[in-house]
Amino acid sequence: KLPRAIRAVRWRLPLELTQLIARLTYKPFDRVFNVREIENFVPERGAEIADTSVTSGQREVLLNALKQTETIPLPIVEVGAWRGATTVGMAAVTDRNIYAIDPFNSYPGAASDMEIMQNRTRAFSHIKHLRLRSGEAAAALSQERFSFIFIDAIHDYINTWFDFLVWEKLLAPGGMIAFHDVDDHVGSNLACRRIRHQRNYIIWGYCPNLVVFKKTA
């Protein structure tokens, strides 16, 4: 019920403050842990892939993690599907249902991107597109549990941390949650450095700009 201007300030101040903290404390993610102690490490980003910002090296770690969770017969979530290139990459290596979460309503060209995504994923019956925001989708799927979650949405600290909080509670023990842009965006970097200190998560895999956490309990 606050006036619109006050509501805007109330939102912007925490956003700008946390982004400032993220910039001041930024560390490349491979400097906050020992890469020799994790199960899956790819040192190079690799080649670019059409219609996705996920590179070949990052996709290798992502798909390796996905295969590791194949013994958990629960669905998968991708938050931020864009044109569906990573979505179909995952769908090609698993028969589990994949919920592709993307509202396609906040930027120019969104309708065209959604059409490309839907055309690309149409051949995979186990891909379910939910045109919802992250929090709305988590609420809609709150009775589900998931084996693998890939977060590649808004990359400031507040939104990345929010995505972790709403989705990790739906992740089954032994499942994995991956984050993109952990080196190129200071907000996601800070959020994932904080996740690293959560007592029930360990770093399972890393390629520059992508990290995968495993839920241990």
Side-chain angles (χ1 to χ4, degrees), residues 12-163:
R12 293 299 303 184
L13 283 178
L15 178 65
E16 295 298 336
L17 178 60
T18 54
Q19 285 300 101
L20 176 61
I21 294 170
R23 285 192 293 271
L24 293 175
T25 64
Y26 171 83
K27 289 183 182 179
F29 207 77
D30 60 354
R31 294 186 186 176
V32 301
F33 69 98
N34 187 343
V35 296
R36 289 173 293 188
E37 294 178 354
I38 66 173
E39 189 165 334
N40 195 241
F41 171 58
V42 174
E44 302 293 335
R45 297 190 184 204
E48 294 183 359
I49 301 172
D51 287 341
T52 178
S53 58
V54 175
T55 62
S56 59
Q58 295 158 12
R59 184 175 64 178
E60 180 181 343
V61 172
L62 190 69
L63 296 185
N64 285 345
L66 188 66
K67 292 172 184 176
Q68 285 290 313
T69 63
E70 195 66 33
T71 56
I72 305 173
L74 294 171
I76 294 157
V77 164
E78 179 187 33
V79 181
W82 195 39
R83 293 184 171 181
T86 304
T87 319
V88 299
M90 293 191 294
V93 299
T94 184
D95 291 329
R96 286 170 285 171
N97 283 338
I98 298 175
Y99 291 98
I101 313 299
D102 205 311
F104 291 107
N105 62 358
S106 60
Y107 62 94
S112 175
D113 287 340
M114 184 174 68
E115 183 178 3
I116 292 170
M117 181 266 189
Q118 291 176 338
N119 288 337
R120 177 173 272 140
T121 59
R122 188 169 288 119
F124 296 89
S125 61
H126 56 303
I127 295 176
K128 319 292 183 183
H129 176 211
L130 297 186
R131 195 176 178 183
L132 299 171
R133 294 182 176 89
S134 177
E136 295 169 339
L141 298 172
S142 61
Q143 301 306 308
E144 294 262 19
R145 292 299 177 266
F146 301 97
S147 57
F148 188 84
I149 297 169
F150 179 37
I151 307 292
D152 190 11
I154 302 175
H155 300 306
D156 59 48
Y157 169 78
I158 286 179
N159 280 286
T160 305
W161 185 245
F162 171 81
D163 286 340

